[in-house]
Amino acid sequence: MSIYDTLNEQQKQGVFTTEGPVLLLAGAGSGKTRVLTHRIAYLIEEMGINPYQIMAITFTNKAAGEMKERVESLVGFADSAWITTFHSTCVRILRRYIDRIGYDTNFVIYDADDQKSVIKDICKRLNVDTKVLKERTVLSAISSAKDELISPNEYSLSAAGDYHKQKIAALYKEYQQTLKKNNAVDFDDLIMKTVELFKDCPDVLQSYQNRFRYIMVDEYQDTNSAQFELIRLLAGDRHNLCVVGDDDQSIYKFRGANIRNILDFEKYYPEAAVIRLEQNYRSTQNVLDAANAVIRNNIGRKEKSLWTDQGAGERIHFRQFDNAYEEAEFVADDVARKKRNGSYQYKDCAVLYRTNAQARLLEERFIVEGIPYDVVGGVNFYSRKEIKDLLAYLKTIDNGRDDLSVKRIINIPKRGIGAATIAEVQDYADEKGISFYDALKQADEISTIGRSGAKLKPFVDMIKVFRSKLQVYTLTDLIKDIIETTGYVRDLEADSEEEAQTRIENIDELVSKVASYEETHDEPSLSEFLEEVALVADIDGVDEDDDRVLLMTLHSAKGLEFSQVYLTGMEDGLFPSYMSIVADGDAEIEEERRLAYVGITRAKKELTICCAKMRMIRGETQYNAVSRFVKEIPPELLDNRMPKPAYRDDDLLQPSRTKPAAVLTKKRTAAENKPYIASAGTKMGISSFGSLGITKGGNAAGKPDYDAGDRVSHIKYGEGTVLAMEPGPRDYKVTVDFDEAGQKIMYAGFAKLKKL
Ligand SMILES: Nc1ncnc2c1ncn2[C@@H]1O[C@H](COP(=O)(O)OP(=O)(O)OP(=O)(O)O)[C@@H](O)[C@H]1O
Ligand SMILES: [Mg+2]
């Protein structure tokens, strides 16, 4: 039996139609990604195509890695095929040829933080009041323009007569110039500059067209205009382009995804073979019926219906709670129960939510119950100060042209170089048209800085020494040397704050990352390492082998599947979002509904939908009705009846008139609102590359005022007796025997026990 015998007829058609354009349009879990992996295998094994001539593109590194793994398990070795993300594809091309459009091939990639500093700077220089025109607004306008391949000049032309747009046009222009001067590109540039390169240099385009005879794109519904242009150019006259997607899962309109790309594919390629898949291999019939019932409410979609032969399965669990604390508690308890039963592992469970902010309560509960988890997204490891500082050293050593990095570290550790001196150096650099670092090297020539110039030389010398060491050192030696020479960790060790310890752990993690990078690459280089770091998407921090529950937004869950899925916060005003409800027209609600469809269809075995009547959003208590998307699910598919509305309609979304329980109305104190880090006792924290925004919590202010033997009361469990108090690494662990609820172990910081 061959591997292709496991495919159904339509899937086979997708695999065997290798020549000409193919559009595979099918619902969630119908095996689209599987068709792509088998198609690549077929090209290599049966048609004898050199893997070198194959390109398969998807959206996240995780998805690309999985695809590559699956292909390799089918055919053995396919290293020379490009199975990767849009961004990595473009980086590879630009590293080779970007000098043809006026950049250096060792360019740096700016992240969101870098972009923000650049814009801030420019606004200051151009006297733009960022209270009126927010940096975020400017950056998102620039990003949208790039998604549509609109250059600063074109933007400026289209802005005629519109004051606001003209301002943005001026900032966009300046922003591009600054990036170019710093030999930097942002994420959107990766695509746009590659398209520019292909258009300006037909010979470069032709060499890639000759190489890639077969091009495939997964999650095609989320491509934007720039990405479509890129693959259209690559496919050239050969038209060997196979795209797979699901218009019902298009959820990135806000990032410029153009659903027309999928709806109009047949217009661009009239000869395209169009294939549809309707059998779902992932979920139970109940889950599919729910998904179908919800998405049916969108108008203007291509009608399709999913079915499975796996049977109805369990009904969908539906629970409404009084408040978000109870919701979190239920989810944690339910996960713990499944693990205890031995029916599932933690990693079979995923908890999904609409906004990142919802993670906090869930995390707190997981910590209290000692359940290991990872939060996908949140504060990324690479956004931490200590990591950014050390990376700035590496970037400066690699490429002194990135002004932002040089300025970041010029005074880390403190070298007594003042803001005035830095400004003088910058002026000199501007005047001469050179980089900030090059200006530092010529500090002797800058008459205005006087004696402070002497402080600059040791810095430049240090970078020079690092550069020369790079010739003989390994990267691991280099980073250790930087830490030693700058005294970075020594300073932290002298710092008694608990945060300092966490920072040291993060630095250790970075050193391990450098070492593992070196071990796994034949020809490791500093530039390549920095590039990998720049491209890590949030999801990539998740370590497959670890048994942890995954917490993530619905957006991050695209393309993934889990046995147990919890959809939390299913409330009107949260999901769909308040903004989408009040927006004009149905477009926003429809996008939210597609997101609901994505969420529901992640479930393989069981789907649990939760919501709360009351929840704190940005410090305000809100009363929300059950999400309209839940109401769109036929009641017979749910294991619980829809509750009667608890409040009159006009109470919904408004601050309450009824007085809620004390714990909920209490505004959080600043300390409670601080980001937090998982306690070491629960085996979390930064464990893997690119990981988790695990934030820090349960930070005990000191020993609580009760002790073993004391009577205490808990907001939910009532009264009980403290059996034991155990100091943990960050907080006291308290064991209480509650009169009603029995014995519980909790962290003092979270339990908020009152001594009686
Ligand atoms: N013919 C088949 N026989 C057995 N299992 C299959 C078959 N086709 C797909 N599957 C399985 O069904 C699940 C869903 O497949 P896949 O992830 O390829 O779907 P998809 O259409 O890409 O979903 P999504 O839209 O969510 O990205 C996977 O576990 C896959 O291995
Ligand atoms: Mg898929």
Side-chain angles (χ1 to χ4, degrees):
M1 195 173 112
S2 87
I3 51 169
Y4 311 105
D5 294 338
T6 62
L7 303 168
N8 67 34
E9 283 313 310
Q10 292 78 13
Q11 289 178 330
K12 280 184 191 160
Q13 204 193 335
V15 170
F16 301 151
T17 312
T18 56
E19 310 304 306
V22 175
L23 168 65
L24 196 150
L25 191 60
S30 57
K32 295 183 296 294
T33 304
R34 191 176 162 110
V35 165
L36 285 190
T37 53
H38 283 69
R39 195 171 192 269
I40 298 170
Y42 182 78
L43 287 168
I44 298 170
E45 292 254 287
E46 307 296 323
M47 297 195 34
I49 303 295
N50 187 339
Y52 174 84
Q53 303 201 291
I54 297 172
M55 171 186 270
I57 303 190
T58 174
F59 276 78
T60 63
N61 287 336
K62 183 181 166 66
E66 258 180 40
M67 196 186 281
K68 194 158 188 159
E69 227 167 74
R70 285 202 221 166
V71 170
E72 286 180 351
S73 76
L74 295 174
V75 300
F77 192 72
D79 229 25
S80 57
W82 277 20
I83 302 176
T84 174
T85 62
F86 270 107
H87 288 125
S88 305
T89 301
C90 292
V91 172
R92 283 198 209 177
I93 296 170
L94 294 175
R95 281 279 172 234
R96 249 188 106 176
Y97 292 111
I98 201 173
D99 52 345
R100 301 280 298 271
I101 51 170
Y103 289 73
D104 240 36
T105 52
N106 63 347
F107 60 88
V108 290
I109 303 166
Y110 277 179
D111 67 10
D113 263 12
D114 302 329
Q115 289 179 285
K116 215 166 155 199
S117 332
V118 171
I119 278 292
K120 234 188 182 144
D121 233 43
I122 294 175
C123 286
K124 217 189 261 161
R125 257 191 288 139
L126 300 189
N127 278 327
V128 173
D129 184 353
T130 50
K131 281 196 206 77
V132 182
L133 189 56
K134 296 216 164 51
E135 291 121 358
R136 198 157 28 93
T137 314
V138 178
L139 281 170
S140 102
I142 293 177
S143 172
S144 305
K146 289 180 178 179
D147 288 341
E148 297 292 323
L149 297 172
I150 298 169
S151 68
N153 278 340
E154 286 160 344
Y155 195 94
S156 183
L157 288 175
S158 74
D162 181 337
Y163 177 75
H164 180 77
K165 257 186 112 178
Q166 280 173 353
K167 268 248 148 75
I168 292 179
L171 293 168
Y172 181 16
K173 195 165 182 185
E174 195 67 24
Y175 172 83
Q176 274 321 97
Q177 279 170 1
T178 308
L179 261 62
K180 185 152 188 190
K181 194 165 69 62
N182 291 356
N183 197 29
V185 297
D186 64 22
F187 269 81
D188 301 313
D189 278 339
L190 291 175
I191 316 281
M192 187 157 165
K193 292 289 162 200
T194 309
V195 170
E196 191 181 318
L197 168 73
F198 285 166
K199 290 196 167 151
D200 289 0
C201 312
D203 57 317
V204 175
L205 174 61
Q206 206 176 13
S207 72
Y208 283 106
Q209 283 174 340
N210 289 342
R211 169 171 179 177
F212 294 113
R213 286 180 48 196
Y214 296 92
I215 300 171
M216 281 152 267
V217 184
D218 198 359
E219 306 282 359
Y220 178 69
Q221 75 278 355
D222 284 323
T223 49
N224 59 34
S225 303
Q227 288 161 335
F228 177 68
E229 186 63 7
L230 179 80
I231 50 178
R232 196 186 64 79
L233 287 168
L234 278 170
D237 294 336
R238 203 177 272 124
H239 290 192
N240 277 348
L241 175 62
C242 169
V243 300
V244 315
D246 177 3
D247 50 325
D248 288 334
Q249 292 186 67
S250 163
I251 53 173
Y252 278 106
K253 205 175 62 156
F254 70 95
R255 282 203 203 152
N258 188 351
I259 199 164
R260 297 242 69 84
N261 284 351
I262 203 163
L263 301 176
D264 292 347
F265 189 80
E266 294 164 76
K267 277 192 203 142
Y268 290 113
Y269 297 108
E271 78 276 31
V274 181
I275 300 169
R276 284 170 210 277
L277 311 173
E278 293 209 321
Q279 180 169 1
N280 171 294
Y281 292 89
R282 177 182 294 147
S283 310
T284 64
Q285 191 65 51
N286 280 343
V287 168
L288 293 182
D289 286 348
N292 285 334
V294 170
I295 199 66
R296 195 172 298 135
N297 294 285
N298 272 9
I299 41 170
R301 60 183 278 269
K302 296 196 175 188
E303 177 63 28
K304 56 182 174 298
S305 232
L306 293 170
W307 63 276
T308 174
D309 61 11
Q310 292 186 23
E314 294 213 22
R315 278 199 288 180
I316 290 155
H317 312 299
F318 172 69
R319 302 279 182 281
Q320 187 184 31
F321 299 94
D322 283 340
N323 57 58
Y325 296 86
E326 288 181 12
E327 178 188 58
E329 188 175 352
F330 166 79
V331 172
D333 285 347
D334 205 53
V335 167
R337 181 178 57 81
K338 284 172 182 156
K339 169 80 176 178
R340 243 191 343 265
N341 290 343
S343 39
Y344 293 98
Q345 293 187 283
Y346 289 132
K347 66 178 176 202
D348 295 326
C349 307
V351 186
L352 311 182
Y353 37 78
R354 178 70 183 83
T355 61
N356 270 310
Q358 288 164 255
R360 186 185 135 90
L361 283 184
L362 290 160
E363 279 186 79
E364 289 182 359
R365 204 53 226 177
F366 278 68
I367 292 171
V368 171
E369 304 207 9
I371 300 172
Y373 66 89
D374 270 346
V375 180
V376 178
V379 183
N380 189 293
F381 179 66
Y382 290 99
S383 308
R384 292 166 188 276
K385 178 187 180 305
E386 60 279 12
I387 302 303
K388 291 201 80 167
D389 286 347
L390 289 173
L391 289 176
Y393 268 99
L394 292 177
K395 284 182 197 167
T396 304
I397 294 164
D398 182 48
N399 161 15
R401 287 183 57 185
D402 180 22
D403 292 356
L404 226 50
S405 291
V406 183
K407 284 186 191 165
R408 181 178 184 98
I409 52 166
I410 191 158
N411 250 330
I412 293 178
K414 292 234 165 1
R415 299 188 175 94
I417 300 167
T421 310
I422 293 174
E424 301 282 3
V425 177
Q426 183 62 58
D427 285 348
Y428 179 82
D430 289 345
E431 206 177 288
K432 296 262 165 178
I434 58 177
S435 74
F436 183 79
Y437 182 74
D438 284 337
L440 284 178
K441 287 198 292 194
Q442 304 171 14
D444 295 347
E445 319 271 313
I446 312 174
S447 52
T448 44
I449 53 177
R451 270 182 300 140
S452 20
K455 293 183 180 146
L456 303 175
K457 192 157 182 305
F459 176 76
V460 173
D461 288 345
M462 178 183 65
I463 299 295
K464 278 189 192 153
V465 171
F466 283 139
R467 282 188 182 165
S468 61
K469 282 181 176 170
L470 190 54
Q471 312 302 319
V472 285
Y473 270 25
T474 64
L475 291 181
T476 316
D477 288 338
L478 176 71
I479 186 140
K480 285 183 178 162
D481 193 9
I482 295 170
I483 294 167
E484 187 55 39
T485 310
T486 58
Y488 205 105
V489 167
R490 260 196 317 280
D491 289 350
L492 286 171
E493 279 166 351
D495 188 338
S496 59
E497 273 203 38
E498 206 179 82
E499 181 65 18
Q501 187 51 41
T502 313
R503 290 188 192 282
I504 294 174
E505 285 164 18
N506 290 342
I507 291 171
D508 289 345
E509 182 63 27
L510 181 66
V511 176
S512 317
K513 169 58 203 160
V514 174
S516 85
Y517 162 79
E518 269 186 319
E519 273 167 28
T520 50
H521 289 69
D522 290 340
E523 286 178 48
S525 77
L526 181 53
S527 323
E528 194 192 41
F529 171 75
L530 291 170
E531 194 168 286
E532 282 200 7
V533 167
L535 289 176
V536 188
D538 296 333
I539 183 86
D540 299 318
V542 177
D543 189 342
E544 290 281 315
D545 302 328
D546 270 2
D547 189 24
R548 293 148 191 258
V549 181
L550 281 189
L551 275 59
M552 68 183 102
T553 62
L554 287 147
H555 281 98
S556 312
K558 194 176 65 154
L560 307 180
E561 55 187 24
F562 304 93
S563 280
Q564 302 292 319
V565 168
Y566 296 84
L567 289 184
T568 62
M570 292 293 279
E571 298 142 33
D572 258 33
L574 187 59
F575 187 33
S577 71
Y578 183 69
M579 294 307 283
S580 70
I581 294 172
V582 297
D584 256 357
D586 293 331
E588 271 84 357
I589 289 283
E590 294 211 346
E591 174 122 334
E592 296 275 300
R593 191 176 280 112
R594 288 193 291 272
L595 194 55
Y597 174 81
V598 168
I600 295 170
T601 53
R602 297 310 96 198
K604 293 208 280 193
K605 291 265 175 309
E606 281 179 62
L607 174 66
T608 305
I609 293 179
C610 308
C611 61
K613 291 178 189 161
M614 223 178 344
R615 112 165 39 232
M616 186 97 83
I617 298 175
R618 285 178 296 274
E620 297 278 336
T621 302
Q622 289 193 2
Y623 290 78
N624 292 335
V626 176
S627 168
R628 63 192 68 193
F629 302 145
V630 181
K631 293 181 183 157
E632 288 166 2
I633 300 174
E636 62 273 17
L637 295 179
L638 304 176
D639 67 353
N640 260 314
R641 295 263 141 220
M642 267 318 204
K644 290 219 166 60
Y647 304 93
R648 290 209 337 251
D649 271 358
D650 56 356
D651 272 333
L652 302 175
L653 301 171
Q654 308 277 331
S656 89
R657 278 191 253 134
T658 8
K659 202 168 173 2
V663 64
L664 288 161
T665 42
K666 183 176 154 270
K667 287 249 179 194
R668 284 171 186 278
T669 62
E672 282 172 312
N673 266 334
K674 261 199 190 149
Y676 60 100
I677 286 189
S679 128
T682 46
K683 189 179 168 277
M684 282 168 290
I686 309 304
S687 62
S688 53
F689 181 31
S691 52
L692 31 163
I694 295 218
T695 39
K696 164 163 167 182
N699 208 344
K703 191 169 185 303
D705 64 346
Y706 47 81
D707 212 334
D710 284 343
R711 293 282 293 167
V712 290
S713 87
H714 180 270
I715 185 87
K716 171 141 198 291
Y717 298 127
E719 297 186 6
T721 309
V722 178
L723 297 182
M725 292 277 288
E726 196 190 335
R730 296 185 197 283
D731 195 2
Y732 280 86
K733 219 175 183 176
V734 192
T735 311
V736 186
D737 187 18
F738 289 104
D739 303 349
E740 304 275 315
Q743 198 166 315
K744 305 255 176 216
I745 300 174
M746 34 185 61
Y747 281 98
F750 287 127
K752 308 243 158 53
L753 296 167
K754 269 215 195 74
K755 187 175 171 185
L756 295 176

